[in-house]
Amino acid sequence: MRDSGPDGARIALSDAVPLPEVFELYVHKTRQTRTVRLIWRGSDFVGVRYVPVAPVAQPIPIGVMRDLQNARSEIASLQARLARQDDEG
């Protein structure tokens, strides 16, 4: 790897080496594997852009889920009351 930034890198690599559009790149310096997308090719270098990592879903606490369910039930009840008032009025 010749240059690296927050969005991608320039890698010394012959144009004779076949590469897919998206591949895994092991960065020895950080000991991390990153998914990258091939952006450009030169005779001795390739440019890649890091593929953003999808955020990991966070579990929702059961208490929050119960509160949400109660709020949805209350909204449905209020909507039904309003509908009845419209029918009577």
Side-chain angles (χ1 to χ4, degrees):
M1 186 178 300
R2 295 294 182 198
D3 298 310
S4 178
D7 297 326
R10 182 173 65 113
I11 304 166
L13 188 68
S14 167
D15 63 352
V17 176
L19 288 174
E21 182 182 348
V22 176
F23 59 96
E24 300 292 316
L25 175 67
Y26 177 74
V27 182
H28 183 73
K29 185 176 181 178
T30 62
R31 297 184 180 178
Q32 292 181 332
T33 299
R34 303 278 307 260
T35 302
V36 296
R37 179 177 305 278
L38 183 62
I39 301 299
W40 58 267
R41 275 198 100 117
S43 59
D44 296 325
F45 293 95
V46 297
V48 296
R49 182 174 312 258
Y50 300 126
V51 174
V53 177
V56 176
Q58 296 292 323
I60 299 173
I62 191 71
V64 172
M65 288 301 296
R66 285 186 187 126
D67 291 346
L68 179 59
Q69 185 177 8
N70 290 339
R72 286 179 174 161
S73 294
E74 187 175 349
I75 289 169
S77 174
L78 291 170
Q79 287 173 333
R81 285 178 59 190
L82 284 172
R84 282 194 306 268
Q85 285 180 355
D86 287 344
D87 289 342
E88 294 171 357

